[in-house]
Amino acid sequence: MTRLEDIAHRHDEASALLTEGSRVPAGTPILELKGLQKNYGYVQALKPATITFLAGEIHAIVGENGAGKSTLIKLLTGVITRTAGEVLWCGHPVALSTPNEAIARGINAVHQEVVLCPHLSVAANLFLGDEVERHGLMRKRQMERMAQSVLDDLGFYLPAAADLGSLTIGQQQLVATARAAMRGTQFLIFDEPTAYLTRQESAQLFKLIRRLQSEGVTIVYISHRMEEVFELADRVSVLRDGTHVGTRAIGETNESELIALMINRSIEQIYHKEDIPIGAPILEARGLSGPGFEDISLTVRAGEIVGLYGLIGAGRSEFALGLYGRHPLSAGEVHWMGRKVKIRNERDAMELGIALAPESRRDQGLCLNLPIGLNINLPVFGRLSRGPVIGRAEEAANADRQIRDLAIKTPSRRVPASSMSGGNQQKIVIGKWLSHGAKLFIFDEPTVGVDVGTKAEIYRLFAKLLKEGAGIILISSYLPEVYELADRLHVFRGGRLVGSHDFHAATHEDVLGEAIGV
Amino acid sequence: MTITTTESPAAAPRRGMNILFSLTLIGLLLALWIALGIGTASFWTPLNISNLLRQGAMTAILAVGQTFVIITAGIDLSVGAIVGFSTVILAWLLQAGVPLWIAIALTLLMGVAIGTFHGFGIVRMGLPPFIITLATLTSLRGVGLLITNGSTISITNEGFTNFARADFLGIPSLFWMVILIAVPAYIFLHLSRWGRYLFAVGSNSEAARLSGVNVNRTIYTAYILSATCAAFVGVLLASRIGIGNATQAEGWELQAIASTVIGGTSLFGAVGSVHGPLIGAFILATINNGANLLNVNSFWQRIITGLLIIIIVYFDQLRRRGSR
């Protein structure tokens, strides 16, 4: 075979492998959602949404974290089943109850986290579940050749024989996209695909998306990057707090309108900082170092909120865990109420009067499949026991008091914590520490995945704790939150303290600049 | 995921479901007894009933110990080997002229030591529970065979060997031993904070740790209790068979795990009770007993036990999914 013939042959093969396009004429509805709804226990993750996707369009979906985007994708790809509502595919009602059904209909998704096998080659991943065989044996060479021609045809310049795990996340994402494109996909969902991509990789991806569109594939593009939405999309739908708040043609809207649709009320609208007198130092950290943080010095006084801001992985949570005795400190001193102390483990920290509401409710904060009451009482069972036996009345009374005081919306303290919404779960974590009674509260990302009403309640609770003479360390990646709440704001970068500011002494831009390092 | 709070009507509390499950198990046990009473002439004879209680007693005690471990999301594969090894140690000590009570105490202490070793392997060496207890299973059998040189040691203390055959208030002494273990076990697991810590560690050990639970100590406790229960069963078995033999109690760990699982304990941890495994152990004992009475090939007993595990755990899964 000559080189030219070879190239021609390979091009045919690639075209044959790639998608065949839609059976529905462009511009007519391919997928219609009618009152689509999803509840998790008591939580409405997606309120009845009615959205129509037109064949061959690029339809962007935007919304803040926790707006319901992931829920929508999981519904469309059959990972979860809807609570109510109707889905029409090419005009016919469909169940979409399993991932296989979605794939069989031509609905595919490319996820932010690549869900492929890192120990297999790129080619093996592309053909996974669809291997080329002869007499029951895999045709490895042929698959690699075909995979290479697809990758070349898409202009990706990736080696088909390399292990997937040896590629960058961005390259893996391109492989995942190629895989979806090879599967006769008619409806392809991208879930924040550019989060880990370089500019060049993003450009390659956009080229591929446009090519798929030109072949009749309908694209759903989920992102919160406005510039990408305006570059790519034909239409855009906005989600907020699980509600579909509107769909616009891209030419009839602008960035500020979308942002206004997307965002929740700002901090100032739900909370006003109170003037609380600041008292004596509760905790002084002097040059603390440990796993993930180095040479951190800061002071927390009674009645003040100390904010720790930084990007994810900047060392704030690690510092909190180190202070709390979860990980050993390698250097530095901790002074508690003016006295030098040694915190060897969590129980030492608790005994001093430190409470930690950790970053991840699921992994660190709660025993999800156990009752709410047990979770609330976990730190204080010692106090609730007489001898070896727990006082049942005290146990019930303590749990019920926290449920009442924090307005945790549950029918009973016996309900497992997993059935609660994010906001109520956060209240359970907080309730644990209120009954323990601490002097220093560390709140690590307390309002992630929490609805507006609960956010306001949590802020009011901060004020109450401060008035009672406690000090608070507030860790947040949401700048307006620490900016408006903290009496003193420390900025972390790469495990170090890179800036410290009194309340409103620096601008948002200054703080963000320090955190990013520009 | 999006989160919004909604006011929802009260769901059925979980406790109600647990009672329902326990009642189902008791119902199954009673149904077996009634069916065997009708199907065989000899089931409801005093001799057979006390035989049944003796058979079930030892598995029941093992299952209670196993439950503590499984609630922490672990597993103890060594209990059968510990039972066999304990009969050897006890017989050996008695042969050496050690007084009975001291010999029993030393055997139980050896159980504590083995459990401590398991805790050490898991907490300090970071070994998976499956591996460390599997290693103990095989090596304890080996040590026992070395001590006895592959044979058996007879126990000549008649007072001791009569104990397992004795009755008290018309109930076999071995069954009294179940009550002796079950009552403090119930208090420990369901009424004390240490029991709560077992559940918390099994559900999410990191959350438990950050809430001030001494996770390492909790894990040590679970494995020590399991191994000590097994050593205690070894003492009872030695009394029953009158010998020390390292190959005794082959496969009892699986009987214990099966009883625990039939009794509603989740192998994923954080779900379990004391009464469930007790009922589970007697369901298994009844099946074995009934199969003997009905002259069913004993190989079938194993198959029936397997099917029963699948059916009960499957229905339990359905129930849990339904309650979501």
Side-chain angles (χ1 to χ4, degrees):
Chain A
M1 200 186 290
T2 67
R3 210 177 101 74
L4 263 181
E5 271 171 347
D6 184 36
I7 289 169
H9 174 70
R10 283 170 58 164
H11 183 76
D12 284 351
E13 227 172 32
S15 302
L17 279 170
L18 289 168
T19 184
E20 289 154 27
S22 171
R23 278 166 294 174
V24 184
T28 59
I30 181 166
L31 186 71
E32 294 164 78
L33 314 179
K34 296 193 167 167
L36 190 66
Q37 186 184 344
K38 178 67 189 176
N39 300 349
Y40 290 106
Y42 311 104
V43 184
Q44 271 192 309
L46 186 66
K47 289 168 198 154
T50 299
I51 307 176
T52 301
F53 298 97
L54 305 175
E57 74 170 337
I58 297 180
H59 193 127
I61 293 179
V62 295
E64 286 194 305
N65 286 339
K69 294 172 294 182
S70 314
T71 307
L72 184 62
I73 302 174
K74 285 185 193 158
L75 285 168
L76 294 182
T77 50
V79 175
I80 54 175
T81 46
R82 56 183 177 259
T83 309
E86 208 185 359
V87 177
L88 300 184
W89 174 252
C90 306
H92 306 291
V94 290
L96 286 188
S97 51
T98 65
N100 281 337
E101 187 197 342
I103 292 167
R105 294 191 191 284
I107 300 176
N108 255 306
V110 176
H111 296 279
Q112 190 179 336
E113 314 283 341
V114 177
V115 276
L116 289 174
C117 310
H119 301 287
L120 298 182
S121 71
V122 170
N125 272 292
L126 285 177
F127 284 93
L128 195 63
D130 216 5
E131 284 80 4
V132 181
E133 293 176 338
R134 183 177 292 168
H135 311 308
L137 296 176
M138 276 205 296
R139 309 278 293 161
K140 192 173 164 220
R141 285 281 190 71
Q142 189 185 347
M143 283 196 293
E144 271 174 19
R145 199 166 43 77
M146 288 161 77
Q148 194 64 62
S149 65
V150 169
L151 294 171
D152 294 351
D153 190 59
L154 295 173
F156 285 178
Y157 310 109
L158 296 174
D163 277 359
L164 185 77
S166 66
L167 307 182
T168 67
I169 302 283
Q171 290 170 326
Q172 293 186 26
Q173 196 116 46
L174 293 176
V175 174
T177 311
R179 186 180 144 84
M182 277 168 59
R183 246 134 252 265
T185 295
Q186 296 191 49
F187 193 92
L188 188 52
I189 303 162
F190 289 91
D191 184 8
E192 305 201 12
T194 53
Y196 299 117
L197 298 198
T198 64
R199 195 174 290 268
Q200 195 193 354
E201 286 167 341
S202 297
Q204 282 183 342
L205 184 73
F206 288 178
K207 220 169 93 187
L208 173 62
I209 290 175
R210 288 213 186 78
R211 169 169 165 175
L212 291 171
Q213 182 193 24
S214 73
E215 286 168 3
V217 178
T218 311
I219 308 281
V220 172
Y221 190 87
I222 291 166
S223 181
H224 48 229
R225 299 192 180 171
M226 282 298 147
E227 66 279 10
E228 291 178 359
V229 169
F230 281 91
E231 185 181 338
L232 273 177
D234 302 309
R235 294 197 304 153
V236 51
S237 292
V238 185
L239 295 179
R240 185 179 70 213
D241 278 337
T243 312
H244 172 223
V245 290
T247 298
R248 302 276 186 278
I250 209 74
E252 293 165 10
T253 187
N254 54 47
E255 225 167 278
S256 51
E257 187 197 16
L258 289 186
I259 287 171
L261 285 173
M262 264 167 68
I263 58 168
N264 288 309
R265 286 166 286 170
S266 63
I267 305 276
E268 303 94 284
Q269 278 171 289
I270 62 171
Y271 177 76
H272 287 285
K273 188 169 174 58
E274 294 180 56
D275 218 2
I276 296 166
I278 291 177
I282 294 174
L283 173 117
E284 277 175 79
R286 294 187 190 161
L288 291 193
S289 298
F293 60 95
E294 230 186 304
D295 195 21
I296 306 293
S297 298
L298 53 82
T299 304
V300 187
R301 297 177 189 82
E304 80 171 341
I305 295 182
V306 172
L308 305 186
Y309 178 73
L311 303 179
I312 296 191
R316 299 162 302 159
S317 303
E318 290 79 0
F319 168 70
L321 287 171
L323 194 59
Y324 191 66
R326 177 65 184 89
H327 300 302
L329 299 172
S330 55
E333 286 179 7
V334 178
H335 289 248
W336 178 262
M337 310 275 197
R339 192 164 54 86
K340 190 181 163 190
V341 291
K342 201 147 178 66
I343 301 172
R344 285 158 307 177
N345 55 39
E346 307 82 12
R347 293 182 299 287
D348 282 355
M350 280 173 65
E351 207 154 298
L352 285 176
I354 304 178
L356 171 69
E359 185 179 16
S360 165
R361 291 187 287 268
R362 175 171 295 271
D363 298 334
Q364 304 168 305
L366 292 172
C367 297
L368 278 175
N369 57 354
L370 294 180
I372 294 172
L374 197 158
N375 274 290
I376 290 176
N377 288 329
L378 199 50
V380 293
F381 273 127
R383 208 184 68 207
L384 299 174
S385 303
R386 280 171 309 222
V389 175
I390 299 168
R392 302 296 272 242
E394 287 93 328
E395 185 182 18
N398 187 56
D400 287 341
R401 198 185 74 225
Q402 296 306 335
I403 290 171
R404 193 184 56 239
D405 286 359
L406 292 168
I408 298 170
K409 294 189 185 89
T410 170
S412 156
R413 68 188 136 80
R414 297 202 179 96
V415 169
S418 57
S419 65
M420 295 284 103
S421 67
N424 280 308
Q425 288 185 355
Q426 188 63 50
K427 288 182 184 176
I428 298 171
V429 176
I430 293 172
K432 273 208 295 211
W433 296 112
L434 293 186
S435 50
H436 176 65
K439 280 294 279 181
L440 172 68
F441 290 85
I442 307 172
F443 291 100
D444 195 349
E445 303 285 4
T447 59
V448 166
V450 166
D451 58 287
V452 184
T454 307
K455 248 185 217 179
E457 286 176 49
I458 290 176
Y459 298 153
R460 280 198 295 274
L461 178 76
F462 289 173
K464 182 166 165 274
L465 293 173
L466 295 177
K467 282 181 201 159
E468 288 166 2
I472 292 176
I473 295 179
L474 171 65
I475 300 174
S476 180
S477 301
Y478 183 48
L479 182 53
E481 185 169 273
V482 265
Y483 192 81
E484 297 302 330
L485 261 60
D487 296 285
R488 195 163 169 77
L489 178 56
H490 298 286
V491 184
F492 275 61
R493 186 177 77 236
R496 289 178 168 277
L497 242 178
V498 292
S500 300
H501 314 279
D502 285 330
F503 180 67
H504 279 199
T507 63
H508 273 118
E509 288 75 13
D510 295 340
V511 175
L512 190 62
E514 284 175 349
I516 297 172
V518 286
Chain B
M1 194 196 315
T2 304
I3 307 284
T4 323
T5 316
T6 49
E7 313 283 345
S8 297
R14 227 169 142 84
R15 190 163 294 258
M17 302 298 287
N18 287 338
I19 289 171
L20 199 67
F21 181 68
S22 303
L23 287 179
T24 313
L25 282 180
I26 292 174
L28 179 63
L29 188 59
L30 290 179
L32 281 171
W33 285 355
I34 291 168
L36 285 168
I38 295 167
T40 68
S42 49
F43 183 78
W44 281 112
T45 57
L47 182 69
N48 188 57
I49 291 299
S50 62
N51 211 358
L52 172 69
L53 292 181
R54 285 198 180 92
Q55 278 178 6
M58 292 193 266
T59 319
I61 295 171
L62 286 183
V64 168
Q66 186 72 250
T67 301
F68 296 140
V69 168
I70 292 183
I71 285 174
T72 68
I75 192 108
D76 189 347
L77 295 177
S78 70
V79 291
I82 295 176
V83 172
F85 187 63
S86 300
T87 66
V88 170
I89 292 296
L90 187 67
W92 195 43
L93 289 170
L94 289 176
Q95 194 184 38
V98 177
L100 178 65
W101 291 111
I102 296 176
I104 292 176
L106 287 175
T107 309
L108 294 181
L109 271 178
M110 179 214 62
V112 173
I114 295 171
T116 309
F117 174 68
H118 288 156
F120 180 84
I122 294 160
V123 169
R124 298 275 161 221
M125 300 168 73
L127 297 175
F130 187 97
I131 299 300
I132 181 87
T133 58
L134 181 68
T136 315
L137 184 165
T138 153
S139 28
L140 274 188
R141 297 266 186 219
V143 176
L145 287 168
L146 274 180
I147 290 175
T148 59
N149 212 1
S151 64
T152 61
I153 304 173
S154 305
I155 297 172
T156 50
N157 187 328
E158 271 196 24
F160 176 63
T161 47
N162 283 338
F163 173 77
R165 267 168 257 143
D167 282 358
F168 181 65
L169 299 178
I171 292 171
S173 53
L174 288 183
F175 190 77
W176 283 109
M177 294 300 109
V178 176
I179 295 171
L180 182 76
I181 296 293
V183 171
Y186 185 88
I187 293 171
F188 174 81
L189 187 64
H190 295 290
L191 303 180
S192 86
R193 59 184 153 133
W194 313 113
R196 297 285 201 282
Y197 294 165
L198 288 181
F199 284 100
V201 168
S203 174
N204 185 344
S205 64
E206 185 62 21
R209 190 184 300 274
L210 293 177
S211 302
V213 174
N214 192 332
V215 173
N216 293 354
R217 191 162 69 191
T218 306
I219 290 173
Y220 272 109
T221 307
Y223 285 87
I224 288 173
L225 286 174
S226 175
T228 310
C229 281
F232 184 62
V233 170
V235 172
L236 300 182
L237 182 66
S239 164
R240 189 152 195 229
I241 59 178
I243 53 167
N245 182 322
T247 58
Q248 286 296 321
E250 192 89 59
W252 283 21
E253 61 280 347
L254 297 182
Q255 292 275 333
I257 294 167
S259 306
T260 308
V261 168
I262 289 173
T265 313
S266 162
L267 288 174
F268 298 108
V271 179
S273 66
V274 166
H275 46 279
L278 291 180
I279 303 169
F282 284 101
I283 288 176
L284 284 185
T286 305
I287 289 173
N288 290 344
N289 180 278
N292 286 336
L293 294 182
L294 291 168
N295 266 330
V296 176
N297 185 332
S298 71
F299 302 150
W300 273 103
Q301 297 172 16
R302 296 175 178 232
I303 298 173
I304 292 168
T305 306
L307 292 177
L308 191 70
I309 291 173
I310 294 173
I311 292 167
I312 290 182
V313 176
Y314 176 66
F315 276 108
D316 192 36
Q317 291 289 341
L318 285 186
R319 175 180 69 91
R320 281 179 216 286
R321 251 176 266 156
S323 70
R324 284 275 151 103

